[in-house]
């Protein structure tokens, strides 16, 4: 199948394909089929967005956990660590965010 596109149309499609992690031809085929079937959103777009959020949250939790572990070790050695409360609160916020993300995923995925 051949289609003619202006430079601007091509750039829009190429950017969208890159955002989906697909070759331009694969993206065009999927988008054409989705439009023909009445689907507007890529079937993987929601999952990719959710994966990005989960990976970000997991990285945050890991960093907070390392810092919290170091603060607790310092506390156990007799040092008073002022940052311990901050790390504990950051860990609690990260866990709350993961809970919110899990709820959002439950509602958005079929």
């Amino acid at each position: 199948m051949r289609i003619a596109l202006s430079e601007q149309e091509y750039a829009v499609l190429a950017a969208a394909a890159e955002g989906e992690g697909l070759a331009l031809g694969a993206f065009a085929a999927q988008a054409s089929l989705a439009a023909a079937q009445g689907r507007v959103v890529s079937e993987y777009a929601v999952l990719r967005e959710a994966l990005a959020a989960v990976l970000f949250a997991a990285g945050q939790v890991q960093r907070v956990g390392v810092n919290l572990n170091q603060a607790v070790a310092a506390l156990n050695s007799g040092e008073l660590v002022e940052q311990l409360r901050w790390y504990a609160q950051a860990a609690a916020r990260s866990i709350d965010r993961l809970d919110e993300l899990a709820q959002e995923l439950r509602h958005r995925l079929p």
Side-chain angles (χ1 to χ4, degrees), residues 43-52 105 109:
E43 62 185 290
Y44 298 111
V46 172
L47 292 176
R48 284 191 181 109
E49 186 179 317
L51 176 61
L105 288 174
L109 294 174

Side-chain angles (χ1 to χ4, degrees), residues 12-54:
V12 168
L13 283 178
E18 183 178 333
E20 288 291 318
L22 296 172
L24 183 59
F27 178 81
Q30 283 187 4
S32 298
L33 287 171
Q37 296 169 345
R39 292 182 290 121
V40 185
V41 178
S42 164
E43 62 185 290
Y44 298 111
V46 172
L47 292 176
R48 284 191 181 109
E49 186 179 317
L51 176 61
V54 167

